[in-house]
């Protein structure tokens, strides 16, 4: 009887651990999505929500750029291969991984 109770307690504690682990993993995924979206949201100040600029403004609409092209452009600004009024300064403030994240969130999916 005691052995059966011990096995049951062990099984329940294992299931509880799995459930908690799953919840923690879901929170990690949600936190990562929020982080990714917040990085991309910094572009909205100039390029509009989701990269859709206000019509008639000289700021490029970036929502139609493929992800790979957007990343290449961001890296060109960061390295100084491409200049702009402010983009070359802004891009230098991000890591390569952050720029890749921004491109993946805002870039057009093929």
């Amino acid at each position: 009887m005691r052995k059966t109770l011990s096995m049951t307690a062990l099984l329940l504690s294992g299931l509880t651990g799995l459930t908690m682990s799953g919840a923690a993993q879901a929170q990690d995924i949600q936190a990562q999505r929020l982080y990714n979206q917040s990085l991309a949201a910094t572009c909205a100040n100039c390029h509009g929500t989701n990269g859709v600029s206000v019509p008639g403004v000289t700021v490029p609409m970036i929502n139609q750029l493929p992800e790979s092209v957007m990343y290449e452009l961001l890296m060109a600004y960061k390295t100084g291969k491409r200049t702009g009024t402010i983009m070359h300064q802004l891009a230098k403030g991000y890591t390569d991984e952050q720029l890749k994240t921004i491109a993946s969130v805002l870039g057009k999916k093929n």
Side-chain angles (χ1 to χ4, degrees):
M1 177 75 168
R2 186 180 286 259
K3 193 173 189 179
T4 303
L5 287 175
S6 295
M7 290 297 283
T8 303
L10 183 63
L11 179 62
L12 286 175
S13 68
L15 290 175
T16 302
L18 286 174
T19 303
M20 293 174 82
S21 173
Q25 187 175 17
Q27 285 179 337
D28 286 347
I29 291 169
Q30 187 176 15
Q32 187 63 48
R33 280 190 194 134
L34 183 60
Y35 171 74
N36 293 352
Q37 290 172 341
S38 69
L39 276 177
T42 61
C43 304
N45 290 329
C46 299
H47 294 282
T49 303
N50 296 320
V52 181
S53 302
V54 176
V57 178
T58 59
V59 177
M61 194 176 307
I62 59 174
N63 71 325
Q64 293 300 311
L65 291 173
E67 180 180 335
S68 60
V69 172
M70 187 179 297
Y71 179 68
E72 288 174 23
L73 289 170
L74 289 170
M75 289 302 295
Y77 282 120
K78 182 177 180 174
T79 61
K81 291 180 184 173
R82 186 175 175 114
T83 60
T85 55
I86 196 168
M87 278 301 303
H88 61 290
Q89 297 168 356
L90 294 173
K92 289 177 184 175
Y94 293 98
T95 66
D96 294 358
E97 188 63 35
Q98 288 172 323
L99 293 177
K100 187 173 279 195
T101 297
I102 290 168
S104 75
V105 172
L106 292 178
K108 184 178 179 183
K109 311 299 183 263
N110 295 340

